[in-house]
Amino acid sequence: MSAPVTHRLPKSAAGFDDVQFTAFTRLHPDLRIERDATGKLIVMPPTGWNSGKRNANLTMQLAQWAQSNGRGVAVDSSTGFKLPNGAIRSPDAAWVPHERLATLSPADLDGFPPLCPDFVVELRSPSDTLDELHAKMREYLANGARLGWLIDPYTRTVFVYRPNRRVSVRKNLTRLAADPELPGFTLDLAGIWE
């Protein structure tokens, strides 16, 4: 599995605004492309079978809960968010409450919504390093996430992030509850550990 590639745009592209970034991503639909707060592009290859299967399981469970709960919307890893620090990130799964979405324009919702989701999940794949993923989780919290999970299926470990709290490390769980931030959402980890 290929590792992500980081590329700093040349000085001539310093005006690479959100519209141009969106156009660039549409030219490369087979890649997942993020932009960090300094303007570097991070190009990630498509996921392999196991990562795709795990991510589909994760997203399905979150989407089913969101639909039955009715308080917000769940999205998958193809959704980018423009964080307050200027980065454009695509967590593997995310959830945003309706009241925050209601403040956005239709144009915001057609592009990368200018907000950090309340809940984010990063699911480690073979091309990810834990250091990079921990840095992303800290970035989400610094930009407004209320709960974040970093799931490492290779060690059956979940790192639970909450603002102003020490990271909680959980190993070999079968289920993980998102209370109180997402009341009633419990992730069944069996499909993630497979």
Side-chain angles (χ1 to χ4, degrees):
M1 185 65 57
S2 301
V5 175
T6 302
H7 179 70
R8 181 171 299 284
L9 295 171
K11 289 187 188 237
S12 62
F16 204 76
D17 63 20
D18 294 345
V19 172
Q20 292 166 319
F21 178 81
T22 300
F24 182 77
T25 61
R26 289 185 178 150
L27 288 173
H28 305 283
D30 54 333
L31 297 175
R32 192 166 129 199
I33 304 168
E34 294 181 337
R35 181 180 71 196
D36 75 8
T38 68
K40 286 189 292 187
L41 293 184
I42 300 103
V43 180
M44 293 159 280
T47 62
W49 175 262
N50 284 331
S51 292
K53 181 177 70 162
R54 289 176 180 125
N55 202 46
N57 184 292
L58 166 66
T59 303
M60 182 250 334
Q61 289 186 60
L62 181 59
Q64 285 178 337
W65 169 83
Q67 187 172 20
S68 67
N69 175 274
R71 290 184 41 233
V73 177
V75 293
D76 69 5
S77 62
S78 62
T79 307
F81 294 89
K82 183 176 180 187
L83 304 182
N85 70 355
I88 297 177
R89 296 291 189 180
S90 300
D92 288 316
W95 178 83
V96 180
H98 285 300
E99 63 265 16
R100 292 190 65 211
L101 294 171
T103 67
L104 302 177
S105 71
D108 289 335
L109 296 172
D110 276 341
F112 304 115
L115 58 78
C116 183
D118 284 42
F119 175 58
V120 294
V121 183
E122 288 290 346
L123 180 60
R124 186 177 182 205
S125 68
S127 62
D128 295 324
T129 70
L130 279 177
D131 287 343
E132 292 167 338
L133 293 175
H134 283 298
K136 283 176 82 170
M137 298 306 293
R138 290 189 299 272
E139 181 179 43
Y140 291 133
L141 286 185
N143 281 275
R146 296 185 311 120
L147 176 63
W149 292 345
L150 167 50
I151 302 173
D152 183 354
Y154 306 104
T155 61
R156 293 186 173 215
T157 305
V158 179
F159 302 88
V160 180
Y161 283 79
R162 287 186 167 93
N164 304 313
R165 291 173 67 183
R166 175 172 268 156
V167 176
S168 173
V169 180
R170 313 264 181 85
K171 290 187 170 280
N172 296 312
L173 296 174
T174 56
R175 300 177 69 71
L176 180 63
D179 293 321
E181 294 85 359
L182 280 69
F185 176 54
T186 299
L187 180 66
D188 179 352
L189 288 157
I192 308 298
W193 297 155
E194 288 180 351

